[in-house]
Amino acid sequence: MMPLVLPLPAVKKKDEPIVGAKAFRLAQLISRDLPVPGAFVLTTVAFDLFFEKNNLGYLLERLSLQNDRSILENICRELKRKIKKGEFPKNLKEQINQEIFKNKLKRLAVRSSATSEDLAFASFAGQFESYLNIKEEKVFDFIKTCWSSLYEERVVAYTLYHQIPMHEIKMAVLVQEMINAEKGGVIFTKDVLRDDERLIIIEAARGLGTQVVDGIVEPDRFVVEKTDLKIIQRKLKSHKPVLNDEEVFQLASLGLLIENFYQKPQDLELAAQKEKIYLLQTRPITV
């Protein structure tokens, strides 16, 4: 029987179709002893079981028969409403509670890991929702909200544009230890603006890295040459930089290591707490 829930360190290559790209890549980083927060993943088997328990299959069938945007959006609105009112199967709820207990998770991050997320030809970056600093007792509500984000209007538009059949996309969900970041940000192992793979771009700000990802704050920006990992440009928001030179070197080294593993430029999200760096996500850079 396919698993409903998997601890992230237990995820293997064969599990990629049921855990989604985001969770699978983090599991690969863990297997290489890279710093990833404690986490487990609800597989697409759990997604299917929830839909079966709440009799939502007929709406997915209707999705498969449509390519008219207005009709698709109506079906999706109904799906979102029913997901949020739905009940968890007892065995799934028990397994989630067991993993939270085993991982000693008190504050959680709940993140999407859709099966069509970060495809080579189309990145779903920013399309699906992540929820941060969630109390343990609220995790089930936010898992459902994460599932329902699969049916937002912007996702409908995106899938139609890229000709991805909506009914074929399923949502695995990552439940991670919440890192209360003192600083966070992103690493691009390619300068996308200049289309230059000789450079690494690091952007960082104080607090959660989502502020950088979502464009809420203007971060410090460091440009690093790959050949010798030297900083060749700094753009700082104050006299005191968010990152010192040693931290920039460490992050650039980490980005280069992961790029070499995947053999293509990467977009990484990171958090730092008490001088320890955590990797929250890696995906190929798509434009």
Side-chain angles (χ1 to χ4, degrees):
M1 182 178 175
M2 301 284 276
L4 298 173
V5 177
L6 279 171
L8 215 51
V11 170
K12 307 299 181 190
K13 175 63 180 173
K14 64 180 176 58
D15 300 314
E16 184 177 6
I18 63 170
V19 301
K22 185 181 294 178
F24 180 67
R25 291 194 192 105
L26 286 177
Q28 287 183 307
L29 299 185
I30 289 172
S31 71
R32 281 153 183 82
D33 296 321
L34 292 171
V36 174
F40 61 92
V41 58
L42 279 71
T43 69
T44 58
V45 184
F47 176 91
D48 287 339
L49 184 64
F50 179 88
F51 271 59
E52 182 182 330
K53 163 79 172 175
N54 293 282
N55 300 312
L56 300 179
Y58 77 97
L59 288 170
L60 290 182
E61 187 174 343
R62 285 180 61 196
L63 276 183
S64 70
L65 300 173
Q66 292 294 334
N67 57 12
D68 181 279
R69 178 170 173 173
S70 62
I71 297 174
L72 284 170
E73 287 176 351
N74 285 334
I75 298 169
C76 287
R77 276 193 286 272
E78 183 69 2
L79 271 167
K80 288 190 294 181
R81 188 181 68 82
K82 288 184 176 292
I83 288 170
K84 289 179 180 179
K85 287 188 173 181
E87 294 183 5
F88 276 79
K90 183 180 177 182
N91 59 333
L92 176 57
K93 200 165 189 176
E94 287 173 350
Q95 288 189 42
I96 293 168
N97 281 327
Q98 286 170 8
E99 286 300 323
I100 289 173
F101 178 77
K102 281 195 298 184
N103 285 278
K104 299 178 181 177
L105 303 180
K106 298 300 179 187
R107 291 281 178 167
L108 313 167
V110 180
R111 301 175 185 270
S112 67
S113 184
T115 54
S116 290
E117 198 164 1
D118 301 336
L119 292 172
F121 62 89
S123 172
F124 276 77
Q127 300 296 326
F128 303 126
E129 298 294 342
S130 292
Y131 303 95
L132 306 179
N133 212 22
I134 305 305
K135 293 180 181 178
E136 178 184 347
E137 61 269 22
K138 293 289 187 181
V139 68
F140 297 101
D141 291 337
F142 282 94
I143 289 169
K144 289 193 290 185
T145 306
C146 207
W147 279 333
S148 71
S149 74
L150 188 55
Y151 303 105
E152 294 289 346
E153 289 182 11
R154 65 182 182 271
V155 180
V156 176
Y158 199 84
T159 54
L160 285 173
Y161 179 80
H162 289 286
Q163 299 183 326
I164 303 168
M166 274 213 70
H167 66 283
E168 292 182 4
I169 308 173
K170 296 182 181 182
M171 179 77 79
V173 177
L174 267 169
V175 180
Q176 293 177 295
E177 174 191 0
M178 179 67 201
I179 303 300
N180 293 311
E182 294 154 4
K183 42 191 151 182
V186 292
I187 306 168
F188 299 100
T189 65
K190 169 184 176 178
D191 186 335
V192 179
L193 295 177
R194 296 181 178 86
D195 193 25
D196 192 339
E197 295 192 13
R198 298 171 300 175
L199 302 176
I200 297 171
I201 308 299
I202 299 170
E203 297 181 340
R206 303 197 186 280
L208 297 174
T210 49
Q211 298 179 98
V212 177
V213 175
D214 296 338
I216 296 170
V217 299
E218 190 171 347
D220 284 359
R221 188 173 191 268
F222 302 87
V223 181
V224 181
E225 284 189 327
K226 281 184 183 174
T227 50
D228 52 14
L229 297 184
K230 284 187 177 178
I231 301 170
I232 60 170
Q233 185 180 341
R234 293 176 175 85
K235 183 181 178 183
L236 307 179
K237 296 308 296 174
S238 70
H239 294 300
K240 187 176 181 181
V242 173
L243 303 172
N244 61 42
D245 287 4
E246 178 57 36
E247 288 171 323
V248 172
F249 175 81
Q250 186 179 358
L251 292 175
S253 300
L254 200 53
L256 190 56
L257 176 70
I258 295 169
E259 179 187 82
N260 287 339
F261 171 68
Y262 285 109
Q263 291 296 296
K264 59 183 65 175
Q266 295 292 299
D267 167 1
L268 298 105
E269 185 179 342
L270 62 101
Q273 182 184 39
K274 295 180 180 177
E275 299 185 353
K276 182 172 181 180
I277 293 167
Y278 294 89
L279 297 171
L280 306 179
Q281 178 170 295
T282 186
R283 61 178 171 232
I285 291 176
T286 55
V287 291

